[in-house]
Amino acid sequence: MEEVYAGLPFPARETRPYVLVNMVASLDGKASAGGKAGAIGSLIDRALMRILRARADAVMTGARTLRAEKLTLAVPRDLARSRASRGLKPQPLAVLVTGSGEVPLDENLTGASSDNLLVLASPEIPRERLAYLSSRAAVEVLPEIRRKEPKGRHTGLRLDLEGALEVLKKRYAVDVLLVEGGPTLNHAFVVDGLADELFLTLAPKLVGGSRPENITVLEGPPLPPRAADPNLLSVYLSGDELFLRYALRPAGPG
Amino acid sequence: MEEVYAGLPFPARETRPYVLVNMVASLDGKASAGGKAGAIGSLIDRALMRILRARADAVMTGARTLRAEKLTLAVPRDLARSRASRGLKPQPLAVLVTGSGEVPLDENLTGASSDNLLVLASPEIPRERLAYLSSRAAVEVLPEIRRKEPKGRHTGLRLDLEGALEVLKKRYAVDVLLVEGGPTLNHAFVVDGLADELFLTLAPKLVGGSRPENITVLEGPPLPPRAADPNLLSVYLSGDELFLRYALRPAGPG
């Protein structure tokens, strides 16, 4: 089962990375239980997550996801070796996105070395936070964009994602970017038409609950009717768990 | 495609109906968009929904779902004929569940005759509402159960579902009950261990948004870890849409 995503060819884009989003959800659409994503997927799901990481030049997650639980964005040793045989660095670049600067790198991020860690930060972050982050990672401060949003709703992310992707491509040579949430970051990628594929694991669970603990795969305002037009590329079954791959056709120019 | 659920055998239970739950969800777990479920599934999904109705002795929905949009719980003429050949009445009994008594039968329910319509009502409903409902449907007033819930959370349904199912079996000869939501009613069935199967259509859409407009398949407090243990029985694919059938193994005695 673990090999199913290992050989996928991902096309190159000229001005930005090719973007994969990988998430796991329960049958009732919950991507986390009790505030944690780790409770939903199986060991096979986690193995496939690592296979996808092994295919990516960079792995991105939102700072809120890192605040919620200890995690690594790295791959184990055997996959690091297989990366080398493809001409990739042993580990993908770990990329964290933050609007607040609250990124518990020391506390919650494991397996990342400072020379392989990038923080994409909003210009509103206080200087002492930036200094702390810069002592542990490369930091790129990106302009904020205020999105037009229905009253009372917030995406929680107003970073210029398109600009961020150009920086990743030009300065960090990222051709394939894997986004692992959280749901607010996923939503921003979809709204901006910047997500090329969705890898969705459908776990045979019913979770219940609601925000903020039990969130869905996308958290943000309602999307325009055809913001994405998912096209099912493959279905794999392991036990009672489904592994789905969709091409997303963004409304905007890619 | 339409025939895939037509021949399924559903086992008989002694004291209550065998309960199927049928829902459609987007890839991001939303069972409605802009407050309406009709926006998510395809024509094939709607055809399969009617096939399942044709297999059921009764079709149940929550009054909130009926308040949200015009709907029918009936089957078209050709399926009504196929029911007769199985020894079923031409139309399944239409069952509405209400705690408030606000059931817009005249405005939003189409295709149901008063001799084939049952309202399961809480005892707190004002007498004049009950009189109105009784003029249009059979009405069964059932005891309320106050569920133990985490503070500040409400299921919105406190009807004695197990009692309701016994009434359906004994007085209305319902062997197979199809529950079509809403998510609060689904949640109550799962929490009480009374849902035997889940038919879940996974529509190739990304919807975004959140409650109250864009709800998930289950709305209610977090479920205990093994409240249901879904077992995937079948997967059908039509276009980019997946039709999934799960057995739910309730924690409690069945």
Side-chain angles (χ1 to χ4, degrees):
Chain A
M1 187 65 200
E2 285 85 345
E3 68 277 11
V4 298
Y5 293 151
L8 294 180
F10 297 118
R13 286 185 170 274
E14 272 199 25
T15 59
R16 64 168 178 87
Y18 191 77
V19 175
L20 319 174
V21 176
N22 184 29
M23 294 295 287
V24 57
S26 65
L27 303 185
D28 58 321
K30 309 305 187 308
S32 67
K36 290 173 196 228
I40 310 277
S42 68
L43 292 175
I44 301 281
D45 174 58
R46 301 191 75 78
L48 283 177
M49 178 184 74
R50 289 189 287 265
I51 294 285
L52 287 174
R53 285 182 183 171
R55 298 298 317 281
D57 299 291
V59 181
M60 178 186 283
T61 191
R64 196 181 304 172
T65 301
L66 185 65
R67 290 198 294 272
E69 58 191 314
K70 259 197 192 344
L71 54 84
T72 177
L73 300 176
V75 299
R77 204 171 297 173
D78 57 326
L79 288 175
R81 272 196 297 272
S82 79
R83 288 174 60 87
S85 71
R86 288 174 191 270
L88 298 171
K89 287 193 215 165
Q91 290 292 340
L93 178 68
V95 184
L96 290 152
V97 180
T98 179
S100 68
E102 288 175 45
V103 192
L105 295 175
D106 293 335
E107 297 81 359
N108 280 1
L109 187 69
T110 60
S113 61
S114 60
D115 62 349
N116 198 38
L117 184 54
L118 172 62
V119 175
L120 300 177
S122 119
E124 286 180 13
I125 294 175
R127 206 171 295 175
E128 63 274 21
R129 285 245 170 100
L130 278 181
Y132 160 79
L133 293 172
S134 299
S135 73
R136 279 156 179 79
V139 175
E140 299 275 354
V141 177
L142 292 163
E144 276 204 351
I145 290 177
R146 273 198 192 274
R147 293 172 196 279
K148 279 187 191 165
E149 285 171 25
K151 209 178 156 189
R153 293 176 184 272
H154 303 280
T155 63
L157 184 93
R158 295 185 297 267
L159 223 57
D160 173 12
L161 270 189
E162 199 161 357
L165 290 185
E166 282 173 21
V167 166
L168 286 175
K169 176 91 179 181
K170 274 192 214 155
R171 290 193 209 152
Y172 298 86
V174 176
D175 290 326
V176 176
L177 171 67
L178 177 63
V179 178
E180 295 190 351
T184 306
L185 186 59
N186 297 343
H187 187 278
F189 270 96
V190 170
V191 162
D192 289 356
L194 297 170
D196 294 297
E197 295 190 16
L198 171 65
F199 289 82
L200 180 66
T201 300
L202 196 64
K205 290 193 176 148
L206 292 171
V207 168
S210 56
R211 295 191 299 172
E213 294 86 12
N214 297 0
I215 50 184
T216 65
V217 165
L218 296 184
E219 290 287 336
L223 294 166
R226 294 183 78 81
D229 188 10
N231 176 217
L232 184 56
L233 298 179
S234 66
V235 181
Y236 291 99
L237 174 65
S238 168
D240 294 312
E241 200 167 36
L242 283 163
F243 299 91
L244 309 171
R245 179 188 175 209
Y246 293 88
L248 304 182
R249 282 170 285 198
Chain B
M1 188 64 199
E2 283 86 343
E3 67 278 12
V4 298
Y5 292 151
L8 294 179
F10 298 117
R13 284 185 170 275
E14 271 198 29
T15 59
R16 64 168 178 88
Y18 191 76
V19 175
L20 319 174
V21 176
N22 183 31
M23 293 295 287
V24 56
S26 66
L27 303 184
D28 59 321
K30 308 307 186 306
S32 67
K36 289 171 199 230
I40 309 279
S42 68
L43 291 175
I44 301 284
D45 173 58
R46 299 190 75 78
L48 283 178
M49 178 184 75
R50 288 189 289 264
I51 295 286
L52 287 174
R53 284 181 184 172
R55 297 299 317 282
D57 299 292
V59 181
M60 179 188 281
T61 190
R64 198 182 301 172
T65 301
L66 186 65
R67 291 198 294 271
E69 59 191 314
K70 259 196 193 345
L71 55 82
T72 178
L73 300 175
V75 299
R77 205 170 298 173
D78 58 324
L79 289 174
R81 271 197 298 271
S82 81
R83 288 173 60 86
S85 71
R86 287 175 192 270
L88 298 171
K89 285 193 216 168
Q91 290 293 338
L93 178 69
V95 183
L96 290 151
V97 180
T98 181
S100 69
E102 290 174 42
V103 192
L105 295 175
D106 294 333
E107 299 80 1
N108 280 1
L109 187 68
T110 60
S113 61
S114 60
D115 61 348
N116 197 39
L117 182 56
L118 172 63
V119 174
L120 300 177
S122 116
E124 285 181 13
I125 295 176
R127 206 171 294 175
E128 63 274 21
R129 284 245 171 101
L130 278 183
Y132 159 80
L133 293 172
S134 298
S135 73
R136 277 155 182 80
V139 175
E140 298 275 354
V141 177
L142 294 163
E144 276 204 349
I145 290 176
R146 274 197 191 275
R147 295 172 193 282
K148 279 188 193 165
E149 286 170 24
K151 210 179 157 187
R153 293 176 185 272
H154 302 280
T155 63
L157 185 92
R158 296 186 297 267
L159 222 58
D160 173 12
L161 271 189
E162 199 162 358
L165 290 185
E166 282 174 23
V167 166
L168 286 176
K169 177 91 179 181
K170 273 193 216 157
R171 288 193 209 153
Y172 298 87
V174 176
D175 291 325
V176 176
L177 172 68
L178 177 63
V179 178
E180 296 191 351
T184 306
L185 186 60
N186 298 341
H187 187 279
F189 270 96
V190 171
V191 162
D192 288 355
L194 296 171
D196 295 296
E197 296 191 16
L198 171 65
F199 288 81
L200 178 67
T201 300
L202 196 64
K205 291 194 175 148
L206 293 171
V207 167
S210 56
R211 292 190 301 170
E213 293 87 11
N214 297 0
I215 49 182
T216 65
V217 166
L218 296 185
E219 291 287 337
L223 295 166
R226 295 183 79 80
D229 188 10
N231 174 217
L232 184 55
L233 298 179
S234 66
V235 180
Y236 292 98
L237 176 65
S238 167
D240 294 311
E241 200 166 37
L242 283 163
F243 299 91
L244 311 171
R245 179 187 175 210
Y246 293 88
L248 305 182
R249 280 169 288 198

